[in-house]
Short mmCIF file of all heavy atoms in Angstrom, two decimals:
data_model
loop_
_atom_site.label_atom_id
_atom_site.label_comp_id
_atom_site.label_asym_id
_atom_site.label_seq_id
_atom_site.Cartn_x
_atom_site.Cartn_y
_atom_site.Cartn_z
N ASP A 1050 14.47 -7.47 -16.45
CA ASP A 1050 13.14 -6.93 -16.73
C ASP A 1050 12.95 -5.56 -16.08
O ASP A 1050 12.39 -4.64 -16.68
CB ASP A 1050 12.07 -7.89 -16.22
CG ASP A 1050 11.95 -9.14 -17.07
OD1 ASP A 1050 12.26 -9.07 -18.26
OD2 ASP A 1050 11.55 -10.19 -16.53
N VAL A 1051 13.41 -5.44 -14.83
CA VAL A 1051 13.28 -4.16 -14.13
C VAL A 1051 14.07 -3.08 -14.85
O VAL A 1051 13.57 -1.97 -15.09
CB VAL A 1051 13.75 -4.30 -12.67
CG1 VAL A 1051 13.76 -2.92 -11.99
CG2 VAL A 1051 12.84 -5.25 -11.90
N GLU A 1052 15.31 -3.39 -15.21
CA GLU A 1052 16.15 -2.39 -15.87
C GLU A 1052 15.62 -2.05 -17.26
O GLU A 1052 15.71 -0.90 -17.70
CB GLU A 1052 17.59 -2.90 -15.96
CG GLU A 1052 18.30 -2.94 -14.61
CD GLU A 1052 18.32 -1.57 -13.92
OE1 GLU A 1052 18.39 -0.53 -14.61
OE2 GLU A 1052 18.26 -1.55 -12.68
N ALA A 1053 15.06 -3.05 -17.95
CA ALA A 1053 14.50 -2.78 -19.27
C ALA A 1053 13.34 -1.80 -19.18
O ALA A 1053 13.18 -0.91 -20.02
CB ALA A 1053 14.05 -4.09 -19.91
N LEU A 1054 12.52 -1.96 -18.15
CA LEU A 1054 11.40 -1.04 -17.96
C LEU A 1054 11.88 0.36 -17.61
O LEU A 1054 11.43 1.36 -18.19
CB LEU A 1054 10.47 -1.56 -16.86
CG LEU A 1054 9.33 -0.64 -16.45
CD1 LEU A 1054 8.36 -0.44 -17.61
CD2 LEU A 1054 8.59 -1.20 -15.24
N LEU A 1055 12.81 0.44 -16.65
CA LEU A 1055 13.27 1.75 -16.18
C LEU A 1055 14.07 2.50 -17.24
O LEU A 1055 14.18 3.73 -17.17
CB LEU A 1055 14.11 1.57 -14.91
CG LEU A 1055 13.35 1.00 -13.70
CD1 LEU A 1055 14.31 0.80 -12.53
CD2 LEU A 1055 12.23 1.93 -13.29
N ALA A 1056 14.63 1.78 -18.19
CA ALA A 1056 15.46 2.42 -19.23
C ALA A 1056 14.66 2.82 -20.46
O ALA A 1056 15.22 3.39 -21.40
CB ALA A 1056 16.59 1.48 -19.63
N ARG A 1057 13.37 2.57 -20.46
CA ARG A 1057 12.58 2.88 -21.64
C ARG A 1057 12.55 4.39 -21.91
O ARG A 1057 12.18 5.18 -21.04
CB ARG A 1057 11.14 2.38 -21.46
CG ARG A 1057 11.00 0.90 -21.70
CD ARG A 1057 9.56 0.51 -21.84
NE ARG A 1057 9.44 -0.80 -22.43
CZ ARG A 1057 8.28 -1.40 -22.70
NH1 ARG A 1057 7.15 -0.79 -22.40
NH2 ARG A 1057 8.27 -2.59 -23.25
N PRO A 1058 12.89 4.79 -23.13
CA PRO A 1058 12.89 6.23 -23.44
C PRO A 1058 11.50 6.84 -23.45
O PRO A 1058 11.36 8.06 -23.30
CB PRO A 1058 13.53 6.28 -24.84
CG PRO A 1058 13.32 4.92 -25.42
CD PRO A 1058 13.37 3.97 -24.27
N THR A 1059 10.47 6.03 -23.62
CA THR A 1059 9.10 6.55 -23.65
C THR A 1059 8.52 6.75 -22.25
O THR A 1059 7.42 7.31 -22.12
CB THR A 1059 8.18 5.59 -24.43
OG1 THR A 1059 8.27 4.28 -23.84
CG2 THR A 1059 8.60 5.51 -25.89
N LEU A 1060 9.23 6.32 -21.23
CA LEU A 1060 8.73 6.45 -19.86
C LEU A 1060 8.86 7.91 -19.40
O LEU A 1060 9.92 8.51 -19.51
CB LEU A 1060 9.53 5.54 -18.93
CG LEU A 1060 8.87 5.08 -17.63
CD1 LEU A 1060 7.60 4.29 -17.93
CD2 LEU A 1060 9.84 4.23 -16.83
N GLY A 1061 7.78 8.48 -18.90
CA GLY A 1061 7.80 9.86 -18.45
C GLY A 1061 8.65 10.05 -17.21
O GLY A 1061 8.93 9.09 -16.48
N LEU A 1062 9.04 11.29 -16.94
CA LEU A 1062 9.90 11.58 -15.79
C LEU A 1062 9.23 11.20 -14.48
O LEU A 1062 9.88 10.64 -13.58
CB LEU A 1062 10.25 13.08 -15.78
CG LEU A 1062 11.07 13.57 -14.58
CD1 LEU A 1062 12.42 12.84 -14.50
CD2 LEU A 1062 11.28 15.08 -14.67
N ARG A 1065 9.24 7.34 -14.27
CA ARG A 1065 10.61 6.84 -14.12
C ARG A 1065 11.11 7.06 -12.69
O ARG A 1065 11.73 6.20 -12.08
CB ARG A 1065 11.54 7.52 -15.12
CG ARG A 1065 12.94 6.88 -15.19
CD ARG A 1065 13.84 7.69 -16.12
NE ARG A 1065 13.22 7.89 -17.42
CZ ARG A 1065 13.21 6.97 -18.39
NH1 ARG A 1065 13.78 5.81 -18.19
NH2 ARG A 1065 12.62 7.23 -19.54
N ARG A 1069 11.73 3.97 -10.08
CA ARG A 1069 13.12 3.84 -9.61
C ARG A 1069 13.17 3.98 -8.09
O ARG A 1069 13.88 3.22 -7.42
CB ARG A 1069 13.99 4.91 -10.28
CG ARG A 1069 15.45 4.91 -9.86
CD ARG A 1069 16.20 3.69 -10.34
NE ARG A 1069 16.42 3.68 -11.78
CZ ARG A 1069 17.13 2.73 -12.41
NH1 ARG A 1069 17.66 1.73 -11.72
NH2 ARG A 1069 17.29 2.77 -13.71
N PHE A 1168 1.48 1.82 -14.35
CA PHE A 1168 2.57 0.83 -14.27
C PHE A 1168 2.19 -0.43 -15.04
O PHE A 1168 3.02 -1.00 -15.76
CB PHE A 1168 2.86 0.50 -12.81
CG PHE A 1168 4.06 -0.41 -12.65
CD1 PHE A 1168 5.33 0.02 -13.00
CD2 PHE A 1168 3.91 -1.69 -12.14
CE1 PHE A 1168 6.43 -0.80 -12.85
CE2 PHE A 1168 5.00 -2.52 -11.99
CZ PHE A 1168 6.28 -2.08 -12.35
N LYS A 1169 0.96 -0.88 -14.89
CA LYS A 1169 0.52 -2.05 -15.64
C LYS A 1169 0.60 -1.80 -17.14
O LYS A 1169 1.02 -2.67 -17.92
CB LYS A 1169 -0.92 -2.41 -15.25
CG LYS A 1169 -1.05 -3.19 -13.95
CD LYS A 1169 -2.49 -3.55 -13.68
CE LYS A 1169 -2.62 -4.47 -12.47
NZ LYS A 1169 -2.04 -5.80 -12.72
N THR A 1170 0.21 -0.61 -17.56
CA THR A 1170 0.26 -0.27 -18.98
C THR A 1170 1.69 -0.24 -19.49
O THR A 1170 2.00 -0.77 -20.56
CB THR A 1170 -0.41 1.09 -19.21
OG1 THR A 1170 -1.77 1.04 -18.74
CG2 THR A 1170 -0.40 1.46 -20.68
N ALA A 1171 2.58 0.37 -18.71
CA ALA A 1171 3.98 0.49 -19.13
C ALA A 1171 4.69 -0.85 -19.17
O ALA A 1171 5.59 -1.05 -19.99
CB ALA A 1171 4.71 1.44 -18.18
N SER A 1172 4.27 -1.78 -18.32
CA SER A 1172 4.98 -3.07 -18.23
C SER A 1172 4.31 -4.18 -19.00
O SER A 1172 4.82 -5.31 -19.05
CB SER A 1172 5.11 -3.48 -16.76
OG SER A 1172 3.83 -3.62 -16.15
N ALA A 1173 3.17 -3.92 -19.62
CA ALA A 1173 2.39 -4.98 -20.28
C ALA A 1173 3.18 -5.69 -21.37
O ALA A 1173 3.10 -6.91 -21.52
CB ALA A 1173 1.09 -4.41 -20.84
N THR A 1174 3.96 -4.94 -22.15
CA THR A 1174 4.68 -5.57 -23.26
C THR A 1174 5.86 -6.41 -22.78
O THR A 1174 6.35 -7.28 -23.50
CB THR A 1174 5.19 -4.50 -24.24
OG1 THR A 1174 6.00 -3.55 -23.52
CG2 THR A 1174 4.03 -3.78 -24.90
N LEU A 1175 6.33 -6.16 -21.55
CA LEU A 1175 7.42 -6.95 -20.98
C LEU A 1175 6.91 -8.18 -20.25
O LEU A 1175 7.66 -9.13 -20.02
CB LEU A 1175 8.25 -6.09 -20.02
CG LEU A 1175 9.04 -4.95 -20.65
CD1 LEU A 1175 9.62 -4.05 -19.57
CD2 LEU A 1175 10.14 -5.48 -21.55
N ASP A 1176 5.65 -8.16 -19.87
CA ASP A 1176 5.04 -9.28 -19.15
C ASP A 1176 4.66 -10.37 -20.15
O ASP A 1176 3.91 -10.11 -21.10
CB ASP A 1176 3.80 -8.78 -18.41
CG ASP A 1176 3.06 -9.89 -17.68
OD1 ASP A 1176 3.64 -10.99 -17.52
OD2 ASP A 1176 1.91 -9.66 -17.28
N ARG A 1179 1.13 -10.46 -20.81
CA ARG A 1179 0.58 -9.22 -21.37
C ARG A 1179 -0.45 -8.55 -20.47
O ARG A 1179 -1.28 -7.78 -20.92
CB ARG A 1179 -0.05 -9.47 -22.76
CG ARG A 1179 0.97 -9.88 -23.82
CD ARG A 1179 1.98 -8.77 -24.06
NE ARG A 1179 2.88 -9.04 -25.15
CZ ARG A 1179 4.10 -9.59 -25.01
NH1 ARG A 1179 4.53 -9.91 -23.78
NH2 ARG A 1179 4.87 -9.79 -26.05
N TRP A 1182 2.55 -5.68 -14.76
CA TRP A 1182 2.96 -5.99 -13.40
C TRP A 1182 2.29 -5.04 -12.41
O TRP A 1182 1.65 -4.06 -12.80
CB TRP A 1182 4.47 -5.91 -13.27
CG TRP A 1182 5.20 -6.82 -14.22
CD1 TRP A 1182 4.83 -8.09 -14.59
CD2 TRP A 1182 6.41 -6.53 -14.93
NE1 TRP A 1182 5.75 -8.61 -15.46
CE2 TRP A 1182 6.73 -7.69 -15.69
CE3 TRP A 1182 7.27 -5.43 -14.99
CZ2 TRP A 1182 7.86 -7.76 -16.50
CZ3 TRP A 1182 8.40 -5.50 -15.79
CH2 TRP A 1182 8.68 -6.65 -16.55
#
Side-chain angles (χ1 to χ4, degrees):
D1050 287 332
V1051 174
E1052 290 303 327
L1054 174 64
L1055 296 177
R1057 281 194 164 182
T1059 55
L1060 204 60
L1062 176 60
R1065 190 184 308 279
R1069 179 68 71 176
F1168 186 65
K1169 280 183 173 292
T1170 302
S1172 60
T1174 56
L1175 293 171
D1176 178 14
R1179 294 297 186 265
W1182 302 322

